[in-house]
Amino acid sequence: AVGRLARMACAIHRRQGRTDEAVALLTAAAERTGNGLVRAALQTLLGEALLEDRHDDRAALAVFEQVLASPAVAAIPVTGRGAWIGAGDVWRARGDYARARAAYEQAMLTLGDPAGEAVRRGAMARDVEALLRDGDYDGAGAKLADWEQQLPVDRLDGQTALLWVRVHQGRREWARVITRAEGLVAVHPADRYAPALLLHAADAHLKCGQPLAARDVLRRLAQGYPESALAQEARSRLGGR
């Protein structure tokens, strides 16, 4: 009951921007419960709140590592799935592709090696594209979140990042466009979608009233990806420089 009520209350606090209350609640609930599985679940939520709401990657990683070292995860590895994903998110935010990928792959292994991974990926991509065409940005975001939960290694792929960019554009969330696009390029600059992501980031900087930042991103695109067709567009926007 403690775990169930704490999760519900935490979700309400986070939706309403009360991060401190959510963190305090999860910390207290994790300390009170005598159930190792419930404690691991609550600590995983705590790590997510620290990373996503407070942007405290050091504290979040410490919590995720505590979960992964717990007896509950040793006994039932799937219990650590969320913590492995959280640790991967920390390394992704730090720009460490190798560690992020290793963590995401560990998360996928907790459910075994799923058959038909490519088929599932293709089906989810078609579903997201259909929702975007219909202008259902909330539905597309929910489907993308489910996709990245099922196949967390795809959090390092430009395909999902570009789809997230389109969701954020539809919601007019320009700062999130920048974060999503530039974050993927930072951790995986060789991704095939990197030039397109940088171009979207430049447009979003303009929407945010940041022309100098937009020019800097265009220069990165023109200089870093000279063989891309989008590099020519970047050079044109820069006045040929």
Side-chain angles (χ1 to χ4, degrees):
V2 168
R4 184 170 61 253
L5 293 173
R7 286 191 290 270
M8 292 171 60
C10 171
I12 294 170
H13 284 317
R14 292 187 66 191
R15 278 199 304 269
Q16 297 180 354
R18 297 195 297 265
T19 304
D20 290 345
E21 288 86 342
V23 168
L25 176 67
L26 291 169
T27 301
E31 291 174 351
R32 288 191 180 196
T33 181
N35 186 309
L37 297 178
V38 173
R39 182 180 299 109
L42 292 173
Q43 288 179 320
T44 299
L45 288 177
L46 173 60
E48 292 173 1
L50 291 169
L51 180 61
E52 297 170 12
D53 301 341
R54 279 193 181 170
H55 308 291
D56 188 343
D57 62 324
R58 292 181 62 184
L61 184 60
V63 171
F64 293 137
E65 289 176 341
Q66 184 177 358
V67 173
L68 294 171
S70 68
V73 173
I76 308 177
V78 72
T79 304
R81 180 178 174 82
W84 279 120
I85 292 174
D89 288 346
V90 170
W91 294 117
R92 181 184 61 176
R94 293 180 178 181
D96 192 327
Y97 180 87
R99 287 188 176 183
R101 187 174 184 87
Y104 292 143
E105 288 176 346
Q106 284 294 325
M108 294 179 70
L109 287 175
T110 61
L111 294 181
D113 190 8
E117 183 179 308
V119 174
R120 291 165 59 204
R121 182 178 288 114
M124 288 186 284
R126 288 191 294 273
D127 288 345
V128 173
E129 290 282 4
L131 291 164
L132 288 170
R133 285 195 299 271
D134 292 340
D136 185 356
Y137 301 111
D138 290 342
K143 176 62 70 172
L144 271 169
D146 181 54
W147 175 349
E148 292 186 335
Q149 192 69 20
Q150 290 188 44
L151 302 172
V153 74
D154 286 6
R155 295 173 183 233
L156 294 170
D157 191 284
Q159 180 183 16
T160 54
L162 195 55
L163 290 171
W164 272 117
V165 161
R166 291 170 61 188
V167 169
H168 296 318
Q169 287 171 331
R171 294 171 173 169
R172 304 182 68 80
E173 298 170 340
W174 308 118
R176 292 191 175 188
V177 169
I178 295 167
T179 299
R180 185 75 62 172
E182 294 190 9
L184 190 283
V185 175
V187 73
H188 193 196
D191 189 273
R192 64 194 185 281
Y193 293 102
L197 289 167
L198 287 175
L199 197 61
H200 283 299
D203 289 338
H205 277 298
L206 291 175
K207 292 285 188 180
C208 292
Q210 302 165 347
L212 294 179
R215 291 182 68 82
D216 179 64
V217 172
L218 290 172
R219 288 192 192 96
R220 287 166 54 198
L221 170 54
Q223 296 170 7
Y225 304 89
E227 296 180 359
S228 169
L230 296 179
Q232 179 56 45
E233 181 174 348
R235 285 191 290 269
S236 177
R237 292 194 190 188
L238 290 166
R241 290 190 292 274

